[in-house]
Amino acid sequence: MGGLIKELDGVWNVQVNTGLRYVAEARIIHYLGYQPASRHNAYFNTLPFLLADEKMLREVRQQGDITEKVGEMIERPKRAFRNSYILGDDCPAYSLLFSNHMRILKYIYVRHRKMYLWAEKIYRKAFRRFFGRS
């Protein structure tokens, strides 16, 4: 097409889980097609953007209109984030967080909380024994 079609700058396609470097200048912030009612999201997704929260959607549905809180987030979307940690994609913790190991661990945490807490106690004791701290 003779250069008619070209890729837009990252500020026009900010995805909150991977586009942090573009948030300050963002023109469009995507919610990543998050489906709060999906039974799998409890295990696979933890998104930092507050408007992706199922509770917000329920409040809007119950009120039949945009709530004051949601309205504020729409007015200032760059401030509508949960308290979050930033991990570079070259950090080992990043690889672990997006691994199948973590998906299974999240599943156990959500569906079998007692088993998760029991295992956590064992790991805490082992960590203290091998590394001398908790």
Side-chain angles (χ1 to χ4, degrees), residues 97-131:
L97 282 172
F98 294 98
S99 70
N100 288 319
H101 292 294
M102 184 58 78
R103 287 179 173 180
I104 291 170
L105 190 58
K106 284 181 190 178
Y107 175 84
I108 294 168
Y109 180 83
V110 171
R111 298 289 293 236
H112 305 285
R113 184 72 55 99
K114 286 182 181 180
M115 185 169 73
Y116 174 88
L117 294 172
W118 174 79
E120 184 63 19
K121 284 181 185 178
I122 291 171
Y123 293 138
R124 187 179 310 118
K125 288 177 184 179
F127 196 83
R128 279 190 199 134
R129 181 170 184 204
F130 295 116
F131 299 107

Side-chain angles (χ1 to χ4, degrees), residues 15-77:
Q15 297 180 21
V16 295
N17 66 337
T18 58
L20 189 60
R21 75 176 76 178
Y22 302 108
V23 168
E25 297 88 24
R27 302 283 188 203
I28 298 172
I29 298 175
H30 290 275
Y31 304 120
L32 306 172
Y34 182 68
Q35 300 172 343
S38 169
R39 64 186 177 93
H40 299 293
N41 280 331
Y43 315 121
F44 303 130
N45 294 320
T46 304
L47 299 178
F49 205 61
L50 290 169
L51 282 176
D53 190 329
E54 182 180 7
K55 181 181 174 192
M56 298 285 178
L57 178 62
R58 270 192 260 122
E59 288 175 5
V60 169
R61 284 183 176 163
Q62 287 174 349
Q63 185 167 316
D65 200 358
I66 293 175
T67 64
E68 183 178 336
K69 189 174 182 180
V70 169
E72 289 173 9
M73 285 186 236
I74 291 170
E75 289 292 319
R76 294 181 187 85

